[in-house]
Amino acid sequence: MEKFNGRINMMKSTDPTNDFFQRYHLDYWRTKAESLFFQYKNIEACKTSLDGVEFFKNSQNSEKLLKNMLTLDLHFLKFQIIEALFSLIFTLETGKEKDIWFNLSFPKEKSERNFKLYDRIANFKKKSQLDEFLHQNIRDNRQEKIFWKHVFFSNKESLSDEKLTFKNISQILWSFCKVFQDRADYNAFKHGLRCVGSSVNLSFAIEEKFGVPPPDLQNKLRPLGYAENVISFFEKQKDNNGIKIVLRSKAFSPHEDYISVIQAYQLISNIVSIRRKEPRHESYIFHNVEKAKKNYSLINFSLTQTSVKDLYIQAKKNIQDGKADDAICLLEKITQIDPKESEAIFYLGYCYLLLSSYEEAFEFFKEYIDKNYNFSREYALYYAGFCSAKMDHHKNMYNYFHQFFKCPPINDPEFLKKAKYSYGDFLVNYARSMDSNEYFKIRRILQKAMKHVTEAGKMKFEYPESWFRLGSELMEIEMYDETVNLYSTILEHIPDARGTLINLSTTYIRMNNLVEAESFIRKAIDVDPHYANSWNILGAILIKKGNLEDANDCLNTAKQFDEKGLFKLFIKNNKGILLMEKGEFTQGEAIFQSIFNDNPTDKSVIRNLLQSLMAQNVKDPNKILGLTNNTPSNIEYFFELKSRAYANAHLGNFQEAHSILDGLKQIKHKNNEKWVDLLDSKGDFFELSEDYSKAQNFWQQSLDESTQKYDFSSQTREKIERITKKLEN
């Protein structure tokens, strides 16, 4: 005998770790599981129609006793192999495999692997905790390794599909953790066989709460079903009166237990066989369900549809109860029994969707769609589009929703309405993600969004936030009539929607309809007279109407109600505009400059400071060039680019000035006012360069192409009169 770490060691092997892996009886688990399950299936195959009769259901016979023993053994074999699997995993966590005999033999003694096995398995309360544990880095032979790869694929440098392999291993281990979170039946079995197998009829009482039966119990009992495989055992329960002993019955599925044992056997096989000096088995690769099914030696007779049906029933009940994680474990088992079970693939996608795991959900819905399964195909298209939208895969979203709406209308008006609202929302997000240069594409997408939202609204007005968001985007791209229609629809159903009243007022301001703008902002003030921004907007409207004294009062009221300073910038900005309207340009410029100092990248702040400089006959052209130095060359920044062109013209850079305006010519088909303004500006530049004939031509063209009278139209006429006299002289 030799001393080993202070203990008696009877082993003479020079390499106890390799000896352990060589001697480990891998086939024990599989042989026992297949033997138990085969005998159980033989008894099941001998059933007759009499076995369904109530008398025979409740009677005891030798076959039923034998079947109870077989199913109980198989059920507890599942716990035993899971325990063995996690013992190996936790022991390998040290990265020092030479002590594996010692750590497995004395787990409760003080050693490098001191743990309470059951509790540690059950303490993974969330799958993310388990995944984090599996992804930890450990040191093995002075090398850093990812733990799960070290455990299951020690001799493999790379895996063909690492992501999917990990996902499948993790899912199997997570299902085992869930098993150990309720192991009262296993405890009863281990400590003196304090349990019994039986069959029971289950029922529940309507109105039952917290385990307290309602009055008139018998009349309120409803059958839940007949459970053939049940374990009954006594359990301690604590309540306000102390500890009481209750009889508990727990149903189980021999089919599910068998599959769990085979899964655990496969994982143990990987751990053990790849560590043998001369491996007798190839390690299993878990990335392919079809391949895995062939590899882990399912018995050569088919599992019955009854087992699949039972798993479906429990999975759907878990979904209804909000236990998507539990449902996934059962649905995965169904796909292992039959990978072509289309309903399981669909519900796996749905469960991951409930868990907000959109990438995994999308993969299942895509698989379902690609295989052309007919069960709930329309729903699969919708959910694939939904997941794509949540992942910001906008083109995928667009494609799947397009297919969904091309399908024959589903006989589910409520779902169809929800789909239209969702699609409208997702299209708004799609439009927001696009570059502002893609104006016409954004417009088409928002028109499609409006079509679906308004169609849903005809079915039933719901989700006002969807209408509101869409209206905001339509307003931004100057689709004002559509914006007014949307906001008006909201107000038909929610007349006191303050945000909608404010946005509708803002839309009318942009349409230069100040009468309607003032009407709606005053309604917003009636709804909430202490909301600062409503008073601020009313002040801005009154400035435009020339009612400067009342505007000043409104801005002062806004400042008074803005206790948290949420609208300080906007109120101060409107104060600057008010001063400009009074002709106090220097004071207005000073306000805009102070705002700019605090917000040097804010587009509206830059624009107002430019306006103050432009109003002072293009004061300080170099400052204007500095403010517009990084302005993108697109029509969204028309005023900034026009200001830059004027600054160049005043500095004598006429070619650059004309080039900037020529780059904005596409605005002709989008905004008549800005197009007319551009022509007028071209005339100004030719006047500065003393080419009076061309100046006259552009000013006249500006008037000719004007579809209505604009604020600057009279100034353009005055310029034509002035230049005509100059040309005559």
Side-chain angles (χ1 to χ4, degrees):
M1 290 191 298
E2 300 174 359
K3 288 277 187 176
F4 179 66
N5 282 2
R7 293 172 174 78
I8 301 297
N9 181 20
M10 298 295 294
M11 294 174 54
K12 298 297 182 183
S13 171
T14 57
D15 189 351
T17 300
N18 181 57
D19 198 45
F20 166 78
F21 289 123
Q22 292 293 343
R23 292 167 182 264
Y24 192 91
H25 195 355
L26 266 177
D27 292 334
Y28 165 81
W29 302 109
R30 188 186 65 194
T31 304
K32 184 170 182 179
E34 290 183 351
S35 174
L36 292 170
F37 196 60
F38 183 74
Q39 292 180 72
Y40 159 72
K41 292 298 293 182
N42 274 345
I43 295 172
E44 286 286 282
C46 295
K47 273 187 173 182
T48 68
S49 58
L50 289 176
D51 288 291
V53 177
E54 202 66 34
F55 173 79
F56 290 103
K57 272 187 181 181
N58 297 320
S59 65
Q60 292 293 332
N61 56 52
S62 58
E63 285 183 351
K64 184 171 284 189
L65 291 172
L66 175 60
K67 190 176 78 169
N68 280 342
M69 183 193 76
L70 294 170
T71 55
L72 282 179
D73 272 1
L74 183 58
H75 182 65
F76 294 125
L77 182 66
K78 174 180 74 173
F79 281 94
Q80 290 168 338
I81 193 170
I82 292 172
E83 184 181 343
L85 169 62
F86 276 97
S87 294
L88 284 169
I89 292 172
F90 292 150
T91 300
L92 293 170
E93 192 180 3
T94 60
K96 298 178 181 178
E97 296 187 8
K98 66 183 181 63
D99 294 336
I100 195 165
W101 268 114
F102 176 75
N103 289 314
L104 282 171
S105 302
F106 305 99
K108 291 185 180 178
E109 295 191 27
K110 189 174 181 181
S111 69
E112 293 184 35
R113 288 280 7 112
N114 184 13
F115 51 80
K116 289 184 70 177
L117 183 62
Y118 298 164
D119 287 343
R120 194 169 182 203
I121 299 171
N123 278 341
F124 291 111
K125 301 297 184 186
K126 295 180 180 178
K127 188 171 180 293
S128 57
Q129 292 176 313
L130 176 66
D131 289 349
E132 186 178 345
F133 165 74
L134 293 173
H135 269 298
Q136 67 177 305
N137 287 323
I138 64 161
R139 293 193 69 81
D140 176 46
N141 296 328
R142 298 181 180 179
Q143 288 185 337
E144 284 274 324
K145 289 188 177 181
I146 298 174
F147 181 50
W148 73 272
K149 291 173 72 175
H150 166 71
V151 171
F152 297 106
F153 301 99
S154 181
N155 64 346
K156 288 189 176 290
E157 293 183 3
S158 62
L159 301 172
S160 59
D161 196 336
E162 186 173 309
K163 185 177 179 182
L164 196 52
T165 302
F166 173 77
K167 174 188 167 186
N168 290 339
I169 290 175
S170 169
Q171 193 63 55
I172 292 170
L173 291 176
W174 173 240
S175 70
F176 294 162
C177 293
K178 300 286 283 184
V179 167
F180 262 77
Q181 286 172 16
D182 180 12
R183 58 183 183 279
D185 49 340
Y186 187 43
N187 291 338
F189 166 76
K190 290 194 74 171
H191 299 292
L193 201 63
R194 298 198 299 265
C195 58
V196 62
S198 61
S199 306
V200 296
N201 285 296
L202 302 175
S203 58
F204 71 99
I206 297 175
E207 299 177 7
E208 181 175 346
K209 292 183 179 180
F210 309 113
V212 180
D216 196 18
L217 174 64
Q218 289 298 322
N219 294 333
K220 295 192 175 181
L221 283 174
R222 296 290 183 272
L224 189 61
Y226 173 74
E228 192 169 17
N229 298 294
V230 174
I231 300 170
S232 297
F233 52 93
F234 286 106
E235 189 175 63
K236 287 182 182 179
Q237 286 188 2
K238 291 183 179 180
D239 60 18
N240 295 333
N241 299 319
I243 295 176
K244 62 181 180 181
I245 304 297
V246 297
L247 181 65
R248 180 180 168 194
S249 294
K250 182 178 175 182
F252 63 96
S253 164
H255 302 85
E256 183 184 340
D257 290 339
Y258 173 74
I259 292 170
S260 294
V261 173
I262 296 300
Q263 287 177 327
Y265 160 75
Q266 182 184 5
L267 291 170
I268 291 176
S269 294
N270 261 51
I271 295 171
V272 173
S273 63
I274 61 176
R275 285 172 170 79
R276 288 175 169 162
K277 288 268 175 100
E278 297 176 359
R280 291 180 295 174
H281 303 287
E282 286 293 320
S283 63
Y284 296 111
I285 304 298
F286 292 78
H287 64 262
N288 185 291
V289 174
E290 289 285 349
K291 192 180 291 185
K293 183 179 176 184
K294 294 173 186 175
N295 279 343
Y296 66 54
S297 305
L298 277 173
I299 50 176
N300 55 11
F301 50 84
S302 62
L303 293 168
T304 65
Q305 271 304 113
T306 308
S307 67
V308 172
K309 183 180 177 183
D310 291 343
L311 291 172
Y312 266 131
I313 291 170
Q314 186 57 49
K316 289 177 181 178
K317 186 176 185 305
N318 285 337
I319 293 171
Q320 290 171 357
D321 294 343
K323 299 176 181 177
D325 270 330
D326 293 349
I328 286 171
C329 295
L330 299 171
L331 293 165
E332 290 278 9
K333 286 181 170 59
I334 293 172
T335 60
Q336 289 159 4
I337 294 170
D338 183 359
K340 295 181 181 179
E341 270 291 336
S342 61
E343 197 174 352
I345 294 169
F346 177 87
Y347 279 111
L348 276 166
Y350 186 69
C351 287
Y352 279 111
L353 181 66
L354 293 177
L355 296 170
S356 300
S357 299
Y358 300 118
E359 188 175 347
E360 290 87 348
F362 173 77
E363 290 301 325
F364 282 108
F365 289 127
K366 183 177 183 299
E367 178 185 351
Y368 182 91
I369 294 163
D370 291 347
K371 290 184 177 178
N372 291 315
Y373 291 130
N374 290 322
F375 166 79
S376 299
R377 177 176 173 77
E378 299 89 346
Y379 292 90
L381 287 167
Y382 167 79
Y383 288 127
F386 185 96
C387 293
S388 298
K390 289 293 186 180
M391 295 186 291
D392 293 329
H393 297 166
H394 301 296
K395 290 184 179 178
N396 263 352
M397 176 274 295
Y398 195 84
N399 175 45
Y400 283 115
F401 270 104
H402 181 68
Q403 291 184 64
F404 170 78
F405 287 113
K406 278 181 68 178
C407 291
I410 58 175
N411 188 26
D412 188 346
E414 194 65 28
F415 188 85
L416 185 60
K417 178 191 66 183
K418 176 186 171 185
K420 286 183 173 293
Y421 274 123
S422 297
Y423 190 37
D425 248 3
F426 294 147
L427 286 171
V428 169
N429 290 337
Y430 186 17
R432 282 181 173 177
S433 72
M434 297 173 70
D435 190 279
S436 57
N437 281 330
E438 300 179 273
Y439 172 83
F440 290 109
K441 190 172 182 181
I442 293 171
R443 187 182 178 93
R444 285 197 304 272
I445 288 171
L446 291 179
Q447 284 173 333
K448 189 180 285 287
M450 187 171 180
K451 172 181 177 290
H452 285 284
V453 169
T454 50
E455 285 178 358
K458 289 176 184 176
M459 300 167 77
K460 185 179 179 182
F461 178 83
E462 284 184 313
Y463 309 107
E465 64 278 5
S466 296
W467 295 76
F468 186 83
R469 290 175 70 246
L470 177 55
S472 299
E473 292 304 309
L474 290 169
M475 181 169 60
E476 285 303 311
I477 64 163
E478 301 177 4
M479 294 175 68
Y480 297 132
D481 291 336
E482 293 86 346
T483 307
V484 169
N485 289 336
L486 276 180
Y487 286 146
S488 298
T489 303
I490 297 175
L491 293 174
E492 285 174 15
H493 296 87
I494 315 172
D496 59 350
R498 186 189 69 190
T500 304
L501 289 165
I502 290 172
N503 271 23
L504 187 52
S505 174
T506 304
T507 306
Y508 278 120
I509 291 172
R510 295 190 180 191
M511 296 171 75
N512 207 30
N513 187 341
L514 300 181
V515 174
E516 290 293 333
E518 183 176 350
S519 170
F520 281 103
I521 201 62
R522 288 193 183 276
K523 288 178 182 178
I525 290 171
D526 290 340
V527 170
D528 185 355
H530 299 102
Y531 188 61
N533 199 34
S534 299
W535 288 102
N536 176 51
I537 294 170
L538 179 57
I541 294 168
L542 294 175
I543 290 170
K544 286 179 174 289
K545 293 180 76 173
N547 192 346
L548 303 184
E549 293 304 319
D550 287 348
N552 190 52
D553 291 341
C554 288
L555 295 178
N556 289 335
T557 304
K559 186 177 181 180
Q560 176 189 339
F561 288 137
D562 189 28
E563 296 176 353
K564 295 182 179 179
L566 298 176
F567 304 103
K568 179 181 177 181
L569 173 65
F570 306 107
I571 297 167
K572 191 174 180 180
N573 186 63
N574 281 330
K575 280 280 190 179
I577 296 171
L578 179 64
L579 290 168
M580 296 281 290
E581 288 296 318
K582 287 182 176 181
E584 300 173 12
F585 300 121
T586 306
Q587 295 92 320
E589 181 191 343
I591 286 180
F592 294 137
Q593 185 64 54
S594 69
I595 298 173
F596 174 77
N597 293 339
D598 294 331
N599 304 273
T601 59
D602 189 292
K603 189 172 79 171
S604 63
V605 173
I606 294 170
R607 180 167 295 179
N608 285 331
L609 182 53
L610 285 171
Q611 284 176 337
S612 70
L613 295 168
M614 292 290 288
Q616 298 176 72
N617 196 25
V618 195
K619 177 186 175 183
D620 198 345
N622 287 311
K623 185 173 182 179
I624 293 173
L625 291 178
L627 289 169
T628 58
N629 191 42
N630 297 316
T631 304
S633 296
N634 65 56
I635 59 175
E636 183 182 347
Y637 298 91
F638 175 81
F639 178 74
E640 289 83 347
L641 292 168
K642 187 185 83 166
S643 301
R644 186 172 181 81
Y646 267 99
N648 275 291
H650 277 261
L651 291 170
N653 303 324
F654 297 112
Q655 187 175 353
E656 177 66 15
H658 285 294
S659 175
I660 291 170
L661 292 188
D662 289 343
L664 297 170
K665 282 184 177 179
Q666 70 265 39
I667 207 166
K668 178 179 181 178
H669 306 291
K670 298 176 184 177
N671 188 307
N672 180 256
E673 182 179 7
K674 289 178 180 177
W675 170 244
V676 170
D677 190 7
L678 184 148
L679 294 171
D680 184 73
S681 300
K682 292 273 283 184
D684 290 347
F685 298 166
F686 280 116
E687 183 187 26
L688 285 170
S689 64
E690 299 182 353
D691 191 339
Y692 302 126
S693 179
K694 284 187 178 179
Q696 185 185 46
N697 289 338
F698 272 100
W699 287 331
Q700 188 58 52
Q701 189 181 349
S702 172
L703 290 176
D704 293 342
E705 299 205 18
S706 177
T707 57
Q708 66 183 80
K709 186 178 179 180
Y710 299 115
D711 291 341
F712 54 85
S713 299
S714 58
Q715 296 173 9
T716 305
R717 288 191 180 88
E718 290 173 4
K719 287 188 280 189
I720 291 173
E721 290 174 7
R722 187 183 72 244
I723 209 71
T724 302
K725 289 178 182 178
K726 187 173 285 191
L727 287 170
E728 288 173 353
N729 294 331

